Amino acid sequence: MDTIASLFSFITWPVSWVIVQFHKVYGAIFGPDTGWAWGLSIVSLVVLIRICLIPLFVKQIKSTRNMQVLQPKMKAIQERYKSDKQRQSEEMMKLYKETGTNPLSSCLPILAQSPFFFALYHVLSAIADGKKIGVINDSLLESARLAHIFGAPLAAKFTDGAAKIESLGASATSVKIVTAVMIVMMSASQFYTQRQLMTKNVDLTVKTPFMQQQKMMMYIFPVMFMVMGINFPVGVLVYWLTTNVWTMGQQMYVINQNPTPGSKAQDSYLQRLLKSTVESGEVKAKRKRNVVKVIVAKGTDRNDVERKFITGLAKAGFVAEADGTVSKSTSALAEAEGGASVARRQQPKRQTKAKRQTAAPQQGTADKATEDSDSKTSLEKKDAPQDARPSAAGKPARSQAKSGQRKGPQRPKHPSKK
């Protein structure tokens, strides 16, 4: 860990400078040698870093939305190459490249704040060893070494020996209890954030590599934090716990205000929007009107949650307009139900090969029976007696000649031949 932290030593000076500036403010309130002054300085460092990372977070949200737009194409690729996983992965990567989408974009905030994390680790490790670093001079170094949070020094670790912890003015038991509680809270907050994303803000109708990646992160990151947390100083645990809580709150805001299409979060959001719209008779906020505008523009391509919202408006006697507003309409319900039935229309189910083979002889038998029936009818018409045919008007019907006789009048036989 010390080797990795040394790679980011170039950023230790600005990190230490920011901490010292916040320490001056909180030291005037709580006292310069208190754990509150140094602990809140670390928390303020986290808040400052996360505010600077908001543009990167917005980029992450946009990339996630692009992934959602590609869901139908991903589903088509899965259906087409469901028996060839390698070809399926190749087509997915090709689709990402064509659309400029990065499935690893959700890791960008973590990667961006990693240098600050390791720089803070380097600063606190130097404080624990009694070494000056950055702008922290001798007086600040001694003040930071004496600072305790719930009885645990900022520079102490779970794995430190009793002698080292006693040199910092604390007991090994209190350090282990405080660090263990903070490690559990840090891992739990990370797990809850990822689980909330997977269960509420993901379209579960389509399984993609992006979903598999999120599922792996949900279990891998908390385990990593628990294993690595025993080697973190208390000050670093404060830093990481604070950033996890910030991420959790930020994720909750996004899920409630900008949910993923087709997710449970979108269903909850649209139900709240439906209730407020029916009660007030209008869509008040501009952002909400933009949501309705997008749903109306989709037409028959709406998902089940969006169709449910449009139908709910129609039952209340409202119709959504193209500009995102709503208006009263008596025919809205019929139109909504008609559009929903068209959207739910499915192609006839394809029969299996065995059923097609069974149906073929039956069809042949039916065709043969029809042919025999037609042939019989034709023969009956052909064998009908000619006497039954109507003769021409005014002309007597000719008698049929016997077999072997010539047609027409016969010559009288000679008397000798009688």
Side-chain angles (χ1 to χ4, degrees):
M1 181 65 72
D2 292 332
T3 304
I4 299 176
S6 63
L7 296 176
F8 298 95
S9 59
F10 66 93
I11 205 173
T12 55
W13 193 93
V15 167
S16 62
W17 183 84
V18 171
I19 291 177
V20 169
Q21 301 310 309
F22 281 121
H23 176 261
K24 291 179 179 178
V25 176
Y26 294 118
I29 301 173
F30 301 101
D33 299 333
T34 60
W36 287 105
W38 286 100
L40 290 175
S41 299
I42 296 174
V43 171
S44 300
L45 173 67
V46 174
V47 174
L48 179 62
I49 293 173
R50 296 308 299 264
I51 291 175
C52 295
L53 291 179
I54 286 178
L56 188 60
F57 177 74
V58 172
K59 184 177 180 181
Q60 174 193 2
I61 294 297
K62 290 181 179 180
S63 181
T64 304
R65 290 293 178 267
N66 291 337
M67 291 289 294
Q68 296 298 327
V69 172
L70 295 179
Q71 294 295 319
K73 294 182 179 179
M74 291 179 182
K75 189 173 183 179
I77 291 174
Q78 289 178 340
E79 292 294 331
R80 185 175 182 180
Y81 302 107
K82 58 183 178 181
S83 60
D84 190 350
K85 298 298 182 181
Q86 182 177 358
R87 182 65 183 279
Q88 184 181 121
S89 300
E90 292 175 356
E91 293 295 327
M92 289 286 190
M93 293 299 106
K94 184 179 178 181
L95 180 62
Y96 294 151
K97 186 176 181 180
E98 291 176 351
T99 57
T101 303
N102 184 9
L104 299 177
S105 60
S106 59
C107 300
L108 290 178
I110 295 177
L111 296 176
Q113 63 180 323
S114 295
F116 301 96
F117 169 78
F118 288 112
L120 178 63
Y121 178 88
H122 196 49
V123 170
L124 293 175
S125 296
I127 292 174
D129 296 334
K131 299 177 182 178
K132 294 186 294 184
I133 185 171
V135 299
I136 297 179
N137 52 28
D138 291 332
S139 60
L140 291 174
L141 177 62
E142 186 64 22
S143 176
R145 286 174 60 85
L146 295 175
H148 291 65
I149 295 180
F150 302 111
L154 287 175
K157 305 176 187 176
F158 183 89
T159 56
D160 286 343
K164 185 175 181 179
I165 295 176
E166 287 178 1
S167 67
L168 296 173
S171 65
T173 303
S174 61
V175 170
K176 292 185 184 298
I177 292 175
V178 171
T179 53
V181 170
M182 295 183 71
I183 290 171
V184 171
M185 292 176 63
M186 181 178 64
S187 301
S189 60
Q190 178 68 33
F191 177 79
Y192 179 78
T193 301
Q194 291 297 326
R195 187 177 183 275
Q196 184 178 228
L197 179 66
M198 288 295 299
T199 57
K200 294 183 178 181
N201 205 38
V202 173
D203 187 357
L204 300 177
T205 60
V206 182
K207 295 182 179 180
T208 63
F210 173 73
M211 291 179 58
Q212 298 299 324
Q213 168 204 343
Q214 294 292 331
K215 190 173 182 180
M216 290 176 60
M217 289 173 59
M218 181 173 67
Y219 293 102
I220 292 176
F221 279 174
V223 174
M224 287 176 57
F225 287 140
M226 293 189 70
V227 174
M228 297 172 61
I230 60 176
N231 296 312
F232 291 163
V234 174
V236 174
L237 294 179
V238 172
Y239 173 92
W240 208 248
L241 178 60
T242 305
T243 193
N244 281 358
V245 172
W246 177 284
T247 302
M248 183 172 61
Q250 190 172 249
Q251 188 69 54
M252 291 177 64
Y253 175 80
V254 171
I255 289 176
N256 289 329
Q257 301 299 324
N258 192 17
T260 300
S263 63
K264 293 181 179 179
Q266 189 194 30
D267 189 13
S268 300
Y269 177 81
L270 290 182
Q271 290 304 310
R272 295 195 303 269
L273 178 58
L274 175 63
K275 183 178 179 180
S276 62
T277 302
V278 171
E279 290 178 354
S280 62
E282 61 178 348
V283 183
K284 295 182 178 180
K286 182 179 179 180
R287 180 177 53 81
K288 294 180 179 180
R289 287 196 294 270
N290 290 333
V291 172
V292 177
K293 182 178 178 180
V294 171
I295 294 175
V296 172
K298 287 185 177 181
T300 57
D301 293 333
R302 303 183 191 114
N303 57 47
D304 293 338
V305 174
E306 293 164 346
R307 286 196 292 269
K308 180 180 176 182
F309 171 73
I310 295 297
T311 304
L313 284 176
K315 289 181 178 179
F318 293 96
V319 61
E321 303 293 346
D323 58 352
T325 60
V326 294
S327 58
K328 286 282 187 178
S329 175
T330 55
S331 61
L333 179 59
E335 294 176 359
E337 292 178 347
S341 62
V342 171
R344 290 193 297 266
R345 187 177 298 167
Q346 298 179 353
Q347 296 293 332
K349 188 176 181 180
R350 185 178 180 183
Q351 294 182 347
T352 61
K353 184 177 180 181
K355 289 184 178 181
R356 292 197 302 270
Q357 290 177 349
T358 305
Q362 296 178 356
Q363 183 65 27
T365 305
D367 294 341
K368 185 176 180 182
T370 304
E371 184 179 352
D372 292 343
S373 176
D374 294 341
S375 177
K376 183 177 179 181
T377 304
S378 177
L379 289 174
E380 289 176 354
K381 291 181 180 180
K382 188 180 293 184
D383 293 342
Q386 295 183 5
D387 293 342
R389 297 177 183 176
S391 57
K395 294 184 179 180
R398 294 183 179 180
S399 60
Q400 296 294 326
K402 295 181 180 180
S403 177
Q405 292 184 353
R406 294 182 301 173
K407 294 181 180 181
Q410 300 292 326
R411 293 177 61 187
K413 292 184 178 180
H414 197 273
S416 62
K417 295 183 179 181
K418 289 182 181 181

